[in-house]
């Protein structure tokens, strides 16, 4: 316990100079075509450019490709050794310095995550290679006579539907993730097996792998629906004083598939699994984002996966995310989404398309992807989930039959009209360029006409709805205006502005020039404006509103000369802005505009467009030239008064 307390003290001292969050390195691995025959007839929709960047066809614009840049790019010819030596091996030595590291394989099911992490006996992946090297390293570093004694343990768990399950103990239930006082993440009760040789490792690892929860989806018979987490701990104890201890953790993670579950045809339990998996992956994305952007809050606690990785992602940890992608065109959408996930904090550059082999007529992936994108979810909505029927077919068969079985019309008729239009116009463009390839919408002419008509009808319907909405809005406004008129009859709200003014303009009163004229007159007549107005409620209302007949004017005609030209122009502009942008309610903040006039102004504006000058107000029904003059005077002088008095 004493040692523990000592450690906690130590960590507190160190806490002040915590290293800044480390960036998560991102590598992308493109696997080769798995079907030996493909490649020539089914050109890849993605290709590498150099050791860090790749480009992918842009389905939105076939003239362009999207170019992505990462810390490393491994093309289809890269070997298991290339990935291991290039991105994983360099971080292993940090484990002996007592730092943590993690390697995560991300990507859609079938893109090569398990191949990258585990591999096969002929092509061992990251896990066996890292274990071999680490065990070798610890043996060498820990031999008698060296300062540190080293030991290695392994744990193996999976996160399935946000539950943490021990794969080395099939009887265990959901385990809890805790954090100790030093900020280390631990899982009490998780099995830890000491390993001294690679044979030891295999003895525990291979049977446990079989315990993994795997299920069949349309994309891959053995697609993993859970995150498989292999934890390798390297413990070091100093042989001589001061007998320090160090612990380095390495997480090797084969993440669950990142594919969109709507496209894999998952239903029921599978859909639920996908949802949970995607939530975890979603948070992982946010965590990587936050770390790479140096955001103050990293949402580790939002999912089990990221909570577990809290001390091994960011901080002084060394992390690499390997995004696995596939070249086949039916992976196009998943590939784009995996690349976007991986590149969220990196630049995506649009650049003109240059490769001959990816010119429009061979841009199959674009065509197929659009169908895949817009087909199933849309079609599902129209047909209901029970009619999904390609579930038992393999990945290739699935995409082939998807385009045969579902009539294009059936799928496209439920498509977004904007998208339809876009595809149709793209088709026209391709045809005008003399493209020999099949149209993007491979529909017969007659069906096209039907589609065009549908689009047109939808446009008309939208117009009709817009008109209806306008009518309803006008009705509501009219109703509101009536309501507030009634209210006004019951309580004289006009008292408020006057009360306010009696205070703020008490002094400038002598200068007269900054006051709305009718106010000055009233104040001069009675020092107690409140009582005066109460007595003269009826008269005041007349003064305030243009709706009522114009009251007699007593002010001088040369009011415009009393204020500076700038103020005059400013005042006019302010009024004009209100006339053009103000709601009926805003308009009523103008002197002499009552509810009825405000309504008229809004209506006029909707019919005729914006007012070009304040005088246009005369064209609004019922506003005469004389009223206009008095309106301008009241408002501009009011504004001027407001400006000169300042915010007193
Ligand atoms: P995931 O784990 O992402 O679902 P897998 O690793 O199971 O994908 O890969 C799917 C298929 O592709 C497997 O048959 C695998 O052997 C093969 N494969 C994946 N990556 C490669 C590669 N780089 N070279 C050769 N075959 C690969
Ligand atoms: Mg897998």
């Amino acid at each position: 316990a004493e040692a523990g307390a000592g450690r906690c003290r130590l960590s507190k001292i160190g806490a002040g100079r915590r290293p800044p969050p480390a960036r998560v390195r991102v590598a992308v691995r493109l696997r080769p075509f798995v079907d030996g025959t493909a490649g020539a007839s089914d050109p890849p929709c993605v290709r590498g450019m150099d050791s860090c960047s790749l480009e992918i066809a842009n389905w939105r614009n076939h003239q362009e490709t999207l170019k992505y840049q990462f810390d490393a790019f491994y093309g289809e010819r890269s070997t298991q050794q290339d990935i291991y030596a290039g991105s994983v091996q360099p971080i292993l030595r940090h484990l002996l310095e007592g730092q943590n590291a993690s390697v995560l394989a991300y990507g859609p099911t079938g893109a090569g995550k398990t191949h990258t992490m585990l591999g096969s006996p002929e092509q061992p992946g990251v896990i066996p290679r890292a274990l071999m090297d680490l065990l070798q390293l610890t043996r060498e570093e820990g031999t008698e006579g060296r300062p540190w004694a080293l030991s290695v343990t392994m744990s193996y768990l999976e996160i399935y539907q946000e539950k943490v399950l021990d794969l080395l103990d099939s009887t265990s239930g959901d385990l809890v993730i805790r954090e100790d006082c030093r900020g280390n993440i631990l899982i009490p009760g998780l099995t830890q097996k000491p390993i001294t040789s690679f044979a030891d490792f295999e003895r525990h690892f291979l049977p446990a792998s079989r315990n993994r929860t795997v299920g069949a989806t349309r994309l891959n018979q053995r697609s993993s629906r859970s995150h498989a987490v292999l934890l390798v701990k390297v413990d070091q104890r100093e042989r001589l004083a001061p007998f320090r201890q160090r612990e380095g953790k390495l997480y090797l993670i084969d993440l669950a598939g990142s594919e969109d579950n709507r496209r894999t045809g998952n239903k029921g339990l599978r859909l639920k699994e996908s949802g949970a998996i995607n939530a975890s992956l979603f948070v992982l994305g946010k965590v990587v984002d936050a770390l790479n952007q140096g955001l103050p809050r990293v949402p580790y606690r939002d999912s089990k996966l990221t909570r577990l990785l809290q001390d091994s992602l960011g901080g002084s940890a060394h992390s690499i995310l390997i995004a696995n992608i596939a070249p086949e065109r039916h992976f196009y959408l998943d590939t784009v989404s995996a690349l976007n996930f991986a590149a969220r904090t990196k630049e995506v550059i649009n650049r003109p398309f240059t490769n001959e082999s990816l010119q429009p007529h061979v841009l199959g992936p674009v065509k197929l992807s659009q169908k895949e994108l817009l087909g199933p979810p849309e079609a599902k909505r129209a047909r209901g989930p029970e009619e999904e029927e390609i579930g038992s077919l393999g990945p290739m068969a699935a995409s082939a039959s998807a385009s045969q079985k579902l009539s294009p019309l059936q799928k496209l008729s439920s498509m977004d009209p904007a998208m339809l239009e876009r595809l149709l116009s793209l088709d026209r463009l391709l045809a005008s360029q003399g493209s020999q390839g099949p149209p993007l919408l491979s529909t017969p002419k007659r069906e096209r006409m039907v589609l065009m008509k549908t689009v047109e009808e939808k446009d008309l319907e939208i117009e009709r709805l817009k008109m209806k909405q306008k009518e309803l809005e006008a009705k509501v406004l009219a109703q509101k205006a009536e309501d507030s008129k009634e209210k006004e009859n019951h309580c004289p709200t006009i008292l408020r502005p006057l009360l306010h003014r009696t205070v703020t303009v008490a002094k400038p009163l002598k200068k007269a020039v900054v006051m709305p004229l009718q106010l000055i007159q009233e104040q001069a007549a009675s020092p107690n404006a409140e009582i005066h107005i109460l007595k003269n409620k009826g008269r005041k209302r007349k003064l305030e509103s243009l709706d009522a007949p114009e009251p007699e004017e007593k002010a001088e005609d040369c009011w415009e000369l009393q204020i500076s030209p700038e103020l005059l122009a400013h005042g006019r502009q302010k009024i004009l802005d209100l006339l053009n942008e103000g709601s009926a309610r805003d308009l009523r903040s103008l002197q002499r505009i009552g509810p009825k006039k405000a309504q008229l102004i809004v209506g006029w504006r909707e019919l005729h467009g914006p007012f070009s000058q304040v005088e246009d107000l005369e064209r609004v029904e019922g506003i005469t030239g004389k009223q206009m003059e008095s309106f301008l005077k009241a408002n501009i002088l009011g504004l001027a008064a407001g400006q000169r008095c300042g915010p007193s």
Side-chain angles (χ1 to χ4, degrees):
E2 221 172 88
R7 264 190 240 154
C8 286
R9 255 203 313 277
L10 249 179
S11 77
K12 260 186 191 161
I13 296 165
R17 43 195 165 81
R18 216 184 182 145
R23 205 167 69 76
V24 177
R25 326 261 318 156
V26 180
V28 170
R29 183 183 197 182
L30 171 64
R31 75 152 163 70
F33 282 92
V34 276
D35 179 356
T37 58
S41 59
D42 180 18
C45 57
V46 53
R47 62 159 186 199
M49 302 181 68
D50 54 49
S51 63
C52 290
S53 51
L54 61 98
E55 65 177 351
I56 182 163
N58 181 3
W59 67 273
R60 283 176 218 270
N61 181 350
H62 67 268
Q63 304 283 341
E64 283 181 355
T65 58
L66 298 171
K67 188 185 171 211
Y68 292 82
Q69 227 167 1
F70 299 98
D71 295 299
F73 169 71
Y74 299 100
E76 58 245 86
R77 289 208 195 94
S78 59
T79 62
Q80 300 282 60
Q81 174 63 16
D82 291 338
I83 283 96
Y84 175 69
S87 291
V88 180
Q89 199 174 32
I91 64 176
L92 295 184
R93 63 183 173 82
H94 297 296
L95 291 166
L96 299 194
E97 293 159 8
Q99 294 178 357
N100 296 342
S102 52
V103 182
L104 300 103
Y106 178 91
T109 298
K113 296 180 298 294
T114 306
H115 180 80
T116 296
M117 294 309 287
L118 202 56
S120 56
E122 307 77 49
Q123 296 181 55
V126 163
I127 289 176
R129 283 168 200 268
L131 261 297
M132 286 266 203
D133 276 1
L134 208 55
L135 287 163
Q136 166 91 15
L137 203 64
T138 51
R139 263 197 304 272
E140 284 169 12
E141 290 290 318
T143 48
E144 287 296 329
R146 314 270 329 226
W148 297 84
L150 275 82
S151 63
V152 181
T153 61
M154 67 168 279
S155 303
Y156 192 26
L157 60 94
E158 76 174 346
I159 300 176
Y160 176 66
Q161 289 195 45
E162 291 299 280
K163 285 195 183 82
V164 178
L165 306 169
D166 190 344
L167 288 172
L168 296 181
D169 174 9
S170 52
T171 61
S172 89
D174 185 14
L175 298 168
V176 275
I177 304 173
R178 292 200 196 289
E179 184 176 351
D180 73 6
C181 62
R182 292 180 295 162
N184 287 332
I185 298 294
L186 34 101
I187 302 177
L190 180 70
T191 310
Q192 280 192 58
K193 298 277 188 196
I195 48 172
T196 54
S197 66
F198 191 73
D200 272 354
F201 164 73
E202 281 195 318
R203 195 154 46 85
H204 301 305
F205 184 77
L206 295 181
S209 291
R210 277 176 233 128
N211 286 345
R212 280 201 63 197
T213 315
V214 288
T217 71
R218 201 200 290 173
L219 285 184
N220 189 325
Q221 286 292 306
R222 282 184 56 82
S223 120
S224 306
R225 312 309 305 163
S226 64
H227 309 287
V229 181
L230 175 66
L231 166 61
V232 183
K233 265 195 218 170
V234 179
D235 270 302
Q236 300 185 75
R237 282 154 202 273
E238 206 170 18
R239 289 201 165 100
L240 297 168
F243 302 108
R244 286 170 295 170
Q245 288 187 14
R246 282 181 190 161
E247 182 190 274
K249 287 193 289 188
L250 170 66
Y251 282 107
L252 298 162
I253 304 175
D254 186 350
L255 291 168
S258 64
E259 66 275 5
D260 184 343
N261 61 53
R262 283 166 303 183
R263 284 198 313 106
T264 56
N266 291 332
K267 279 179 267 174
L269 179 67
R270 287 279 170 273
L271 188 64
K272 196 175 160 219
E273 287 174 18
S274 293
I277 288 157
N278 289 342
S280 240
L281 287 178
F282 177 65
V283 178
L284 177 67
K286 289 206 291 186
V287 164
V288 172
D289 261 7
L291 289 171
N292 287 0
Q293 289 176 14
L295 299 183
R297 186 185 170 266
V298 182
Y300 290 113
R301 285 170 180 266
D302 293 0
S303 81
K304 287 279 167 66
L305 177 70
T306 50
R307 177 74 170 136
L308 182 66
L309 292 175
Q310 184 164 340
D311 58 1
S312 306
L313 267 181
S316 59
H318 306 267
S319 314
I320 173 123
L321 181 91
I322 305 173
N324 291 86
I325 55 171
E328 290 90 1
R329 46 163 86 172
H330 64 267
F331 271 95
Y332 180 82
L333 289 175
D334 285 329
T335 302
V336 172
S337 96
L339 287 173
N340 284 337
F341 175 92
R344 283 237 284 267
T345 57
K346 298 205 161 52
E347 249 177 322
V348 179
I349 312 151
N350 278 339
R351 65 187 277 282
F353 193 65
T354 47
N355 191 327
E356 281 301 307
S357 67
L358 289 177
Q359 282 301 306
H361 61 282
V362 286
L363 260 178
V366 173
K367 175 185 117 195
L368 190 68
S369 307
Q370 280 161 336
K371 280 190 186 171
E372 283 183 346
L373 171 70
L374 302 158
E378 296 288 339
K380 224 190 229 169
R381 234 172 279 150
R383 290 175 295 138
E386 61 286 343
E387 286 173 57
E388 285 285 322
E389 52 195 14
I390 334 173
S392 58
L393 299 170
M396 300 292 194
S399 70
S401 65
S403 43
Q404 288 159 9
K405 275 195 183 176
L406 304 169
S407 131
L409 182 62
Q410 224 182 339
K411 287 170 83 178
L412 297 174
S413 58
S414 53
M415 242 166 89
D416 175 14
M419 179 59 69
L420 254 180
E421 270 178 330
R422 195 166 182 146
L423 290 181
L424 286 170
S425 62
L426 258 177
D427 258 358
R428 275 196 295 272
L429 188 76
L430 287 181
S432 71
Q433 286 175 351
S435 165
Q436 300 298 307
L440 290 174
L441 294 180
S442 49
T443 45
K445 199 173 172 188
R446 191 178 51 81
E447 288 180 358
R448 263 159 195 267
M449 300 300 283
V450 175
L451 283 175
M452 297 283 258
K453 216 173 150 202
T454 316
V455 172
E456 220 166 79
E457 271 169 10
K458 277 196 178 155
D459 280 351
L460 278 174
E461 182 61 30
I462 289 169
E463 268 314 302
R464 268 200 294 277
L465 285 172
K466 273 187 187 163
M467 297 281 279
K468 187 106 193 156
Q469 190 183 350
K470 266 196 181 161
E471 265 172 38
L472 283 172
E473 274 173 7
K475 258 189 201 164
V476 170
L477 280 173
Q479 185 62 45
K480 265 192 197 162
E482 242 168 55
D483 286 353
S484 50
K485 208 172 177 182
E486 252 173 47
K487 254 192 217 160
E488 247 174 46
N489 287 337
H490 290 111
C491 62
T493 46
I494 42 168
L495 279 179
R496 283 194 163 274
L498 276 173
L499 259 176
H500 173 68
R501 297 239 167 134
T502 45
V503 180
T504 55
V505 298
K507 277 182 186 160
L509 184 60
K510 283 173 199 153
K511 293 178 194 162
V513 285
V514 294
M515 290 292 294
L517 284 181
Q518 79 273 29
L519 262 182
I520 300 167
Q521 288 148 13
E522 278 168 17
Q523 282 200 331
S526 161
N528 190 338
E530 196 176 344
I531 296 168
H532 176 86
I533 297 300
L534 275 173
K535 279 186 193 154
N536 297 282
K537 209 168 68 187
R539 182 170 164 257
K540 175 64 193 160
R541 275 187 54 73
K542 277 184 187 173
L543 278 169
E544 284 273 310
S545 172
L546 272 179
D547 296 345
E550 181 64 6
E552 234 180 284
E553 281 301 325
K554 293 178 194 162
E556 316 90 283
D557 284 338
C558 57
W559 63 275
E560 281 174 290
L561 298 176
Q562 294 169 359
I563 49 176
S564 72
E566 298 92 71
L567 270 179
L568 196 62
H570 172 74
R572 277 175 167 274
Q573 189 55 49
K574 270 206 127 161
I575 296 170
L576 190 62
D577 290 348
L578 255 179
L579 288 178
N580 283 330
E581 277 140 40
S583 62
R585 199 198 174 100
D586 297 337
L587 285 167
R588 286 174 56 199
S589 69
L590 286 168
Q591 299 281 339
R592 315 205 160 202
I593 298 290
K596 202 168 135 201
K597 279 275 143 42
Q599 210 51 58
L600 276 174
I601 292 169
V602 171
W604 192 91
R605 194 170 68 192
E606 264 172 10
L607 267 177
H608 301 93
F611 293 87
S612 55
Q613 52 173 347
V614 180
E615 278 74 12
D616 285 351
L617 203 51
E618 284 180 21
R619 289 153 67 189
V620 177
E621 199 188 347
I623 298 181
T624 63
K626 206 173 167 208
Q627 281 175 328
M628 187 63 225
E629 180 66 19
S630 130
F631 166 81
L632 275 176
K633 190 183 349 178
N635 283 292
I636 292 180
L637 284 179
L639 276 170
Q643 284 222 338
R644 289 204 193 161
C645 295
S648 57

